[in-house]
Amino acid sequence: MNQNRSGSRPPADPRAQSGWQTPAPRTLLEVRAGETVRIRRFSSAPPAWQERLLAHGIAPGCVVRVMQHQPITVIQVDHTELGFEHDVARVIEVEPL
Amino acid sequence: MPAESIALVGHPNVGKSVLFQRLTGRYANVSNYPGTTVEITRGAASFLPGVMVIDTPGVSALPAASEDEQVTARVLLHEPLRAILQVGDAKNLRRTLLLTIQLAEMGRPMALALNMMDEAEARGLRIDHQALSARMGVPVLPTVATRGAGIKELTHSLIHVTPPHFEMRYPEPIEQALQELCSVLPSSPIASRALGLLYLSRDPVAQTWIEQRADVATQSRLNQKREELQHALQQPIGAVIQQARLAWADQTVNSVITSRAKTDARSAIGAQLGRLAAHPLWGLPILALVLYGMYWFVGVFGAGDLVGLLEENLFGEVINPWVTDLVHRTLGQSLISEFLVGEYGVWTMGMTYALALILPIVTTFFIAFGILEDSGYLPRLAALTNRLFAVIGLNGKAVLPMVLGLGCVTMATMTTRILESKRDRLLVTLLLALAVPCSAQLGVVMGMLASVSFGATLWWAGVVSLVLLAVGWLAARLLPGERSILFVELPPLRLPQASNVAIKTLARLEWYIKEVVPLFLIGTAILFALDKIGVLPWLIETGQPVVSGWLGLPPEASAAFLMGFLRRDFGATGLFALESAGLLSPMQIVVGMVTITLFVPCVASVMMIARERGVRTALGILVLIFPLAVLVGGALYRLLSLLGWS
Ligand SMILES: Nc1nc2c(ncn2[C@@H]2O[C@H](COP(=O)(O)OP(=O)(O)OP(=O)(O)O)[C@@H](O)[C@H]2O)c(=O)[nH]1
């Protein structure tokens, strides 16, 4: 089971800078609840998941807000809230706004 | 084929059912879609004589993922449709348009009802629906279904509806493949471009439709085209297609939304409560409250007060003596009168059970479930319980049939259709049959255990849960296929609409009376026949060594177990009679209750399993459950004896 929540993980991202700045989150799973990010891509996800995400209007470039990570990850897109398991959140790459 | 119809299509929870009620008269007919167990509601359009309105199951998108969604795809492909009415959620325009594009491509006359306009406005959204209509080539009508706003304009536009003028282009490789596909695809009620797109995105319904109509050579050519295209693209074809649509939808949304939300919708009480209900910590007390409320309404009020009133007072003292008397006076003491009002009488046992005992319980249960359904709580429950169900190879969605099972296992078996894979449906069906006691049984079991001690109740609950988890864990590993992941939309919590709950409850009750009551009657008739030809006494006698030797129960309990097959609670009631006669020790009560809970689902649910999953599966489940229940019961007897129970 996954234990790391909100970006408490050591920065694995090469873009992450040292110092006082918080490291740029890499996957949706590492985004703190309450933050808003842009979806970069999720092309490494299984086709079925990709289609589910797209069907709910989640595509690269779109802006989502992370609501919570427990017991499942919940994000808000437009005015819909969508929940899915951590495995899905882990394969969605995001970038800061 | 029946009259032309108008199909309501849309995402789950956008107000299709409420709109359906607005568009049709009072009477709606709920039935299973041919060849499936998915409910479809049809009703005569009140504004267009001779035209039917069909309410389809909600779809998040095509290709269809669950059995439910496939029915919607089949309605679109197979029904003689006069028009498609898409019902969309105005506050989620992007997602709505994603489906609009897909439907408009089908080329059938269509209109879009932008429902929940009130919620969109409350969030500060202004939508230029005329511009939207121009861009999509379909009439767009803003509505608030719950208040009946915009319905007149909607019906007017439905009367004059025409095929849409819509065309969007996909990335070049897809367009090329489509062109080639269109020249070989058999002609269909939807535009071949739309059929081609469905085929390319591997929609199972379109696939089957084509397989039934195209020759083998065409099929292999189609398949080859698709594989070539897949090879040329970096991503799954379906994903590329959806992304193109999303881009189009995004552009559209940007040009028709004239004002964006300023206020944060989260400040609303409903949203706050919704957040708490899915919270890992606060969610639990809320869940406990919900369960307690259900227990009180269904268990105490339904199974206690109402059943007492109906079974003991009305049927026991008034109706049954009267019917029995009438039958005896007209038919005398014949075999027929025994068949009707005897010990295993179709009326005195079957009908009384179905109407006086089960009906009030399922009615209260359906009301409670309808309220939960309408309020938007259920998806949060799925989120909350997901971890637990992961242990037994399922996801949180399985909680719905499982909770429903506490009301009526037969009904719950039918609801497994909301699950996405065959594997999940089979697994839940098995667990329901094995370890989920229905409300009728639960009532008796709890009553008896309470008379022993709280510890006895804990033992019972512990053993049954353990068996549920162990069997689920094992079965999940033995069954082929993978666990499907949880993906749910969490709609805002809303105050349930009394009319919506009432209509859903009535439709379910109608289903219960039409589908389940006959099963009870048939079951009673079978029991009657078995009794007459002497099989019943023989079975009871054969079971005795197991019952008294292995389970350590008095030999009379054998009959109770047999009865448990017809009526789950009857088995428990049979044991209850023994207890009252002072024939059972505390240990025997615990062993008896555990065994009878695991032992058999009622005859109606076995028939439902056979109908849903096939006769072989039903038999397989029975063959698994019988010995398992006895095995567990015997083991528990020995364990408790060792621990000094008597
Ligand atoms: N505020 C508001 N609520 C609505 C409106 N229309 C429907 N609802 C509510 O939305 C919820 C869902 O409505 P349903 O009609 O059950 O939705 P459905 O599309 O049939 O849902 P499924 O059958 O699950 O696909 C209910 O609580 C309705 O009362 C509307 O225009 N405004």
Side-chain angles (χ1 to χ4, degrees):
Chain A
M1 273 280 126
N2 170 68
Q3 290 302 323
N4 67 319
R5 271 182 249 169
S6 45
S8 57
R9 223 189 204 180
D13 193 319
R15 287 168 305 169
Q17 285 153 28
S18 55
W20 53 272
Q21 253 181 326
T22 47
R26 283 184 56 245
T27 73
L28 197 62
L29 193 59
E30 293 162 71
V31 179
R32 242 181 240 112
E35 271 179 57
T36 306
V37 289
R38 189 188 307 280
I39 307 277
R40 230 159 76 91
R41 60 171 176 213
F42 41 81
S43 45
S44 61
W49 297 3
Q50 292 190 34
E51 276 165 29
R52 291 290 279 278
L53 289 166
L54 288 165
H56 283 96
I58 299 167
C62 89
V63 173
V64 302
R65 177 186 176 130
V66 175
M67 311 304 288
Q68 62 189 65
H69 279 302
Q70 297 298 336
I72 56 173
T73 298
V74 176
I75 59 169
Q76 187 179 5
V77 214
D78 294 342
H79 294 279
T80 324
E81 285 181 23
L82 191 67
F84 38 73
E85 292 182 14
H86 293 163
D87 285 346
V88 179
R90 196 174 289 125
V91 293
I92 301 178
E93 291 179 35
V94 296
E95 58 197 11
L97 285 185
Chain B
M1 261 306 185
E4 288 189 304
S5 341
I6 296 175
L8 296 191
V9 181
H11 286 92
N13 242 294
V14 292
K16 285 187 300 299
S17 313
V18 182
L19 203 61
F20 176 84
Q21 292 162 37
R22 297 271 175 196
L23 295 179
T24 57
R26 212 151 269 274
Y27 188 75
N29 179 8
V30 183
S31 60
N32 291 344
Y33 196 73
T36 70
T37 48
V38 177
E39 287 170 18
I40 282 266
T41 319
R42 293 174 199 262
S46 52
F47 56 95
L48 254 185
V51 171
M52 300 296 282
V53 181
I54 309 179
D55 187 7
T56 63
V59 282
S60 1
L62 301 173
S66 69
E67 218 177 330
D68 265 26
E69 296 192 347
Q70 292 185 13
V71 165
T72 303
R74 283 174 54 173
V75 167
L76 290 171
L77 261 173
H78 294 265
E79 295 275 328
L81 292 184
R82 178 193 167 93
I84 299 171
L85 172 59
Q86 186 196 348
V87 186
D89 176 355
K91 64 182 182 301
N92 283 302
L93 197 56
R94 255 173 102 238
R95 194 189 62 168
T96 300
L97 291 181
L98 209 53
L99 192 60
T100 314
I101 295 172
Q102 213 170 4
L103 295 173
E105 280 171 341
M106 295 185 175
R108 289 185 158 190
M110 85 171 264
L112 168 62
L114 267 190
N115 194 35
M116 307 216 170
M117 219 47 201
D118 54 336
E119 290 192 351
E121 273 163 18
R123 286 166 170 75
L125 286 175
R126 289 261 177 294
I127 300 169
D128 180 350
H129 64 266
Q130 272 147 355
L132 180 60
S133 169
R135 175 148 164 109
M136 303 303 296
V138 300
V140 176
L141 292 308
T143 57
V144 182
T146 37
R147 277 193 240 131
I151 304 299
K152 238 171 71 197
E153 293 79 1
L154 179 63
T155 54
H156 180 78
S157 120
L158 278 175
I159 295 173
H160 304 287
V161 68
T162 54
H165 309 283
F166 178 82
E167 167 97 33
M168 73 161 266
R169 291 189 62 78
Y170 292 91
E172 214 32 51
I174 293 186
E175 284 295 338
Q176 270 172 22
L178 265 181
Q179 217 168 26
E180 290 173 54
L181 246 60
C182 286
S183 60
V184 284
L185 279 173
S187 79
S188 72
I190 63 172
S192 45
R193 194 178 156 82
L195 183 64
L197 284 164
L198 280 176
Y199 178 79
L200 287 179
S201 21
R202 300 176 201 277
D203 179 80
V205 178
Q207 178 90 33
T208 318
W209 192 90
I210 291 169
E211 274 164 17
Q212 283 164 356
R213 284 162 187 84
D215 53 56
V216 182
T218 313
Q219 277 181 45
S220 70
R221 220 175 123 196
L222 288 170
N223 193 38
Q224 195 194 339
K225 273 278 143 273
R226 184 165 66 185
E227 294 317 309
E228 275 172 29
L229 176 63
Q230 181 59 78
H231 208 73
L233 297 174
Q234 306 282 327
Q235 287 171 282
I237 308 176
V240 178
I241 293 177
Q242 281 294 47
Q243 273 184 38
R245 288 179 180 144
L246 254 183
W248 171 279
D250 268 334
Q251 271 180 17
T252 312
V253 168
N254 287 336
S255 65
V256 301
I257 289 196
T258 51
S259 142
R260 293 244 172 218
K262 278 167 284 159
T263 48
D264 190 350
R266 288 203 316 152
S267 51
I269 300 178
Q272 282 296 356
L273 205 61
R275 180 111 326 108
L276 290 180
H279 190 275
L281 217 71
W282 293 111
L284 298 179
I286 294 181
L287 173 62
L289 207 70
V290 168
L291 286 182
Y292 181 77
M294 275 187 84
Y295 163 77
W296 182 85
F297 186 61
V298 181
V300 178
F301 175 68
D305 300 350
L306 282 184
V307 169
L309 212 66
L310 282 174
E311 194 185 30
E312 281 159 34
N313 302 355
L314 187 65
F315 273 77
E317 288 164 17
V318 184
I319 299 184
N320 283 359
W322 183 78
V323 171
T324 310
D325 188 52
L326 183 80
V327 168
H328 281 155
R329 258 190 293 141
T330 45
L331 296 168
Q333 293 287 350
S334 60
L335 193 66
I336 300 181
S337 65
E338 204 177 325
F339 175 73
L340 291 174
V341 295
E343 192 185 355
Y344 302 105
V346 168
W347 180 270
T348 36
M349 186 189 219
M351 208 62 178
T352 305
Y353 181 52
L355 295 186
L357 205 125
I358 301 292
L359 190 64
I361 296 175
V362 294
T363 306
T364 44
F365 189 83
F366 290 163
I367 292 175
F369 195 76
I371 290 174
L372 288 186
E373 203 178 20
D374 215 47
S375 67
Y377 181 69
L378 293 178
R380 291 178 168 80
L381 188 59
L384 217 55
T385 53
N386 191 47
R387 285 261 169 83
L388 184 66
F389 282 97
V391 176
I392 51 177
L394 291 165
N395 71 47
K397 273 197 183 158
V399 78
L400 302 190
M402 293 295 227
V403 168
L404 202 51
L406 293 174
C408 170
V409 173
T410 310
M411 178 86 192
T413 304
M414 207 188 81
T415 336
T416 53
R417 64 182 159 77
I418 60 159
L419 303 175
E420 274 133 40
S421 72
K422 235 181 161 151
R423 172 185 172 281
D424 291 6
R425 293 195 282 269
L426 183 62
L427 211 60
V428 173
T429 305
L430 168 68
L431 295 179
L432 278 171
L434 176 69
V436 177
C438 68
S439 48
Q441 191 184 30
L442 205 55
V444 183
V445 169
M446 294 309 253
M448 278 183 75
L449 290 170
S451 75
V452 180
S453 67
F454 185 61
T457 312
L458 284 185
W459 268 99
W460 171 82
V463 173
V464 171
S465 317
L466 201 70
V467 171
L468 182 108
L469 288 177
V471 171
W473 188 84
L474 255 176
R477 266 142 203 87
L478 295 178
L479 280 177
E482 279 192 22
R483 165 174 180 270
S484 43
I485 210 149
L486 181 71
F487 231 107
V488 278
E489 195 184 316
L490 307 175
L493 278 192
R494 300 192 180 90
L495 212 58
Q497 291 267 312
S499 71
N500 217 16
V501 175
I503 298 236
K504 280 186 182 166
T505 306
L506 285 177
R508 287 182 178 137
L509 284 178
E510 186 188 332
W511 166 83
Y512 170 78
I513 289 172
K514 280 210 281 217
E515 308 267 323
V516 182
V517 171
L519 296 185
F520 279 119
L521 300 186
I522 295 169
T524 319
I526 293 174
L527 222 59
F528 175 79
L530 289 181
D531 183 47
K532 279 292 150 213
I533 58 176
V535 175
L536 220 49
W538 176 80
L539 269 177
I540 292 177
E541 209 167 295
T542 321
Q544 270 175 14
V546 177
V547 169
S548 35
W550 172 249
L551 292 174
L553 297 173
E556 292 88 343
S558 182
F561 279 101
L562 195 71
M563 298 301 296
F565 185 56
L566 179 68
R567 303 178 35 162
R568 257 189 152 182
D569 69 309
F570 238 45
T573 315
L575 292 177
F576 185 67
L578 292 181
E579 188 212 7
S580 317
L583 288 171
L584 290 181
S585 69
M587 176 175 68
Q588 286 175 323
I589 292 180
V590 176
V591 172
M593 289 300 117
V594 166
T595 317
I596 211 115
T597 306
L598 299 176
F599 195 48
V600 262
C602 73
V603 68
S605 72
V606 174
M607 289 187 186
M608 183 58 79
I609 297 173
R611 222 181 65 184
E612 290 265 302
R613 305 276 103 83
V615 176
R616 274 184 43 203
T617 309
L619 285 178
I621 287 182
L622 283 185
V623 166
L624 183 74
I625 286 181
F626 278 112
L628 187 66
V630 174
L631 197 74
V632 172
L636 182 64
Y637 164 51
R638 278 156 188 81
L639 178 67
L640 290 179
S641 308
L642 273 181
L643 292 177
W645 283 57
S646 62

